[in-house]
Amino acid sequence: MGKLIKYEFRKQLLSKIVVGVVIAALEIYFALGLLLEKEGWLGMATAFLIFAAFISLFYFSFESIVTYSNDLRTKQSYMIFLTPRNMFQVVGAKLITTILQIVLTGCAFAAIAIGDVLLVCAKFGKVQELFDMLKEFFKALTGVEIRLNEVAYVILMMLVAWLVFIAMAMFAITLSTTLLSNWKYKGVVSVALYFALDWIVAKVATLVVPTGFLQSEYLVVNTEAWAFIGVYLGALALCYVGTALLLEKKVSV
Amino acid sequence: MVEAKMVGKRYLRKQAVKDMNLVLEDGKIYALLGPNGSGKTTFMKMVAGLVKPTSGSLQYNNENIGVESKKRVAYMSTEPFFYSYMTVGHVGKYFADFFEDFSMERYEELIARMDLKMTDKAKELSSGLAAKLKIAATLARDAQLYMLDEPLNGIDIIARESVIQTIVEAATEGKTIVVSSHLVDELEPIVDNVVFMKQGTVVIEGDAEAVRTERGKSIVDLYKEVYAE
């Protein structure tokens, strides 16, 4: 599966290079602002860096879906479907690549943000002051005392929810190119199917965890919270198995 | 050995292959003949595992088409299919990564013979050179069955002889080669068996010499007769 992952990364390398160049340019802008003590430049660079981080995360996920769609709809599909690999490996490689991209991109932007903040603080000698200010800021914003397990839970929940979104999109695309391939309106049907799946997963999640712990004032990482993630992980597993089985049994490229 | 029993493939409103029965024996070169839309490509793609039959049974060495057959079947499509970022060198590395029977040494030799360079971008090649690249990548595998879909498409008349020679070289003992082409006259001298397809099914099939004797005409003339109707 390692080789499949390698080529999934390689197919999507160009966008990473473009983002890397943009981030490098913004960092230079940021560094110049810091060196010359121009607050306007610092503010602009920070705003653009935050914007670039969100756009990149969205784009990389969207790109995974587009790449998968191309793998089924264009002649490049032969590159995958001629190789002696079973479809569980193929779909698994795509999902793992997506996870790695999201995690690595998130980590890279987090590292850049921490580095930039430390640079600012080192320059102006106010490291502790800044940390206190950030802590107060989050406390005021969320009304929640920052605790590591809660932060970890929220990050995990976001990652799982994002993965389910991608896995459901892949499943819907696969259905449209296999079982629904003879339908005139397969594109519309697959989009409708995606929203139906999304609704079902959300409904099941609220049925399994009816107390709505996420709506409570204070987030508590308890059994209900893990059950909520469990429902999404179940949906992810179903989409993975469903996609692989459809490709194995029905795909014609 | 490939065995097709009542194989069919239906798309939206089109029956691409219908009730096809055919046995491809080991160690022979087959010409798969027919006009556009006769089902040649669909049949080849089914054997390669790219297309799933909608009816019938299709087996390679008594096993359904799947991961194991893909290890031993090399398919060359008529369309270019390499990733857009790839150079000729990348194509070789990709094949080496996924096919245990791929020989980089043989690939380099074929690339040199086809007047290609490892640094050439695959998507920027002319149609003739792109066809040569597909042939080199396919024939650098030590496969048991080669399926070549229109390998002479886009290749100029001078280079065709060299390509045909390369195909014949691959036909070592026990290996089966299936070539589809409209250029019947260029294939006729090298093939052992012929399969004529029309409207998704086999209409004539057998040993090339026997077909010639039985029908009293060359394969080229027979092709004109069958498809002129």
Side-chain angles (χ1 to χ4, degrees):
Chain A
M1 201 193 275
K3 284 170 184 166
L4 287 167
I5 293 172
K6 179 176 100 175
Y7 285 101
E8 284 300 318
F9 267 113
R10 184 61 189 81
K11 274 188 276 185
Q12 299 171 43
L13 184 64
L14 184 64
S15 61
K16 314 295 174 298
I17 293 171
V18 171
V19 167
V21 169
V22 170
I23 297 300
L26 287 172
E27 278 297 306
I28 290 169
Y29 187 37
F30 183 88
L32 283 174
L34 197 63
L35 272 174
L36 304 173
E37 296 189 8
K38 298 219 179 232
E39 286 182 14
W41 292 15
L42 276 176
M44 286 287 280
T46 306
F48 278 122
L49 279 167
I50 292 169
F51 181 69
F54 279 105
I55 292 291
S56 304
L57 275 170
F58 273 101
Y59 181 75
F60 292 162
S61 305
F62 181 68
E63 190 183 28
S64 299
I65 297 168
V66 172
T67 304
Y68 180 70
S69 179
N70 286 339
D71 281 345
L72 290 187
R73 292 170 206 272
T74 69
K75 296 302 168 198
Q76 289 186 356
S77 56
Y78 298 176
M79 293 297 277
I80 291 176
F81 292 101
L82 280 178
T83 60
R85 295 288 189 276
N86 74 53
M87 292 303 127
F88 284 92
Q89 288 175 311
V90 169
V91 179
K94 286 179 181 297
L95 284 173
I96 289 170
T97 308
T98 305
I99 297 170
L100 288 174
Q101 286 191 149
I102 294 171
V103 170
L104 291 176
T105 308
C107 288
F109 278 112
I112 289 168
I114 291 168
D116 287 349
V117 167
L118 289 176
L119 274 176
V120 170
C121 294
K123 171 83 177 171
F124 299 108
K126 293 175 180 172
V127 178
Q128 189 55 48
E129 205 176 298
L130 184 97
F131 278 128
D132 291 343
M133 197 177 77
L134 277 175
K135 208 171 169 183
E136 284 303 312
F137 172 73
F138 279 113
K139 197 174 169 183
L141 193 71
T142 61
V144 177
E145 193 75 44
I146 298 171
R147 286 192 292 267
L148 201 60
N149 66 334
E150 287 158 8
V151 173
Y153 178 84
V154 171
I155 291 172
L156 182 66
M157 184 66 225
M158 283 166 64
L159 184 65
V160 171
W162 202 241
L163 264 177
V164 172
F165 155 70
I166 289 162
M168 282 197 304
M170 284 171 64
F171 182 62
I173 290 167
T174 313
L175 264 176
S176 116
T177 49
T178 53
L179 290 184
L180 307 175
S181 64
N182 285 346
W183 286 33
K184 195 175 176 185
Y185 301 106
K186 62 183 177 183
V188 179
V189 173
S190 64
V191 171
L193 193 84
Y194 166 77
F195 284 110
L197 285 171
D198 190 46
W199 183 83
I200 291 167
V201 173
K203 197 75 185 165
V204 171
T206 50
L207 284 174
V208 172
V209 191
T211 52
F213 72 100
L214 283 174
Q215 279 78 51
S216 67
E217 194 177 347
Y218 295 99
L219 172 64
V220 181
V221 184
N222 55 14
T223 316
E224 283 185 342
W226 290 116
F228 195 78
I229 281 191
V231 172
Y232 277 84
L233 284 175
L236 177 64
L238 282 175
C239 286
Y240 165 64
V241 172
T243 304
L245 282 177
L246 279 173
L247 291 180
E248 195 82 51
K249 305 283 178 201
K250 295 284 177 194
V251 76
S252 288
V253 292
Chain B
M1 185 178 80
V2 175
E3 192 171 15
K5 287 181 187 166
M6 297 298 283
V7 168
K9 175 65 191 177
R10 184 171 188 86
Y11 293 103
L12 194 56
R13 288 192 192 91
K14 194 188 169 208
Q15 186 80 41
V17 171
K18 188 182 177 189
D19 300 338
M20 182 171 174
N21 292 300
L22 183 67
V23 172
L24 300 175
E25 291 170 9
D26 294 342
K28 289 187 172 177
I29 302 180
Y30 287 83
L32 191 57
L33 305 174
N36 293 334
S38 58
K40 305 187 301 290
T41 296
T42 305
F43 174 69
M44 283 186 159
K45 282 183 174 182
M46 285 195 282
V47 176
L50 294 174
V51 167
K52 300 283 188 289
T54 41
S55 59
S57 148
L58 183 61
Q59 293 195 317
Y60 176 73
N61 286 349
N62 301 316
E63 282 181 12
N64 289 334
I65 303 298
V67 173
E68 285 309 308
S69 67
K70 287 178 185 180
K71 288 178 185 171
R72 295 187 290 272
V73 176
Y75 169 69
M76 191 207 93
S77 82
T78 187
E79 315 94 342
F81 59 93
F82 303 120
Y83 293 132
S84 51
Y85 75 84
M86 284 184 155
T87 62
V88 171
H90 287 139
V91 171
K93 282 182 191 147
Y94 188 92
F95 273 65
D97 272 345
F98 286 105
F99 297 104
E100 285 176 10
D101 58 7
F102 183 83
S103 161
M104 188 54 92
E105 201 180 327
R106 173 78 175 142
Y107 181 66
E108 285 167 356
E109 182 196 323
L110 289 171
I111 288 301
R113 199 196 288 185
M114 305 276 187
D115 296 323
L116 286 159
K117 291 189 203 75
M118 286 294 180
T119 50
D120 289 341
K121 286 277 276 182
K123 73 169 183 181
E124 290 167 6
L125 295 174
S126 66
S127 60
L129 287 176
K132 287 177 177 179
L133 172 58
K134 286 184 292 175
I135 291 166
T138 308
L139 296 183
R141 286 185 61 191
D142 186 23
Q144 291 300 304
L145 168 63
Y146 297 94
M147 314 271 295
L148 310 175
D149 196 359
E150 303 285 357
L152 303 176
N153 263 14
I155 293 179
D156 63 79
I157 198 159
I158 312 282
R160 269 184 216 161
E161 200 174 310
S162 151
V163 168
I164 288 175
Q165 181 58 34
T166 309
I167 293 169
V168 171
E169 276 173 25
T172 51
E173 200 176 337
K175 302 207 185 261
T176 309
I177 299 182
V178 181
V179 189
S180 84
S181 181
H182 298 103
L183 304 165
V184 190
D185 48 346
E186 308 213 29
L187 277 188
E188 184 161 4
I190 66 159
V191 298
D192 302 308
N193 280 48
V194 288
V195 179
F196 285 74
M197 288 190 72
K198 194 174 181 182
Q199 292 170 350
T201 198
V202 175
V203 287
I204 298 172
E205 185 261 320
D207 178 88
E209 193 49 48
V211 169
R212 273 190 288 262
T213 308
E214 190 185 317
R215 310 263 173 166
K217 53 184 75 170
S218 69
I219 302 299
V220 175
D221 290 336
L222 191 56
Y223 185 94
K224 289 173 188 164
E225 183 186 294
V226 169
Y227 300 114
E229 288 169 6

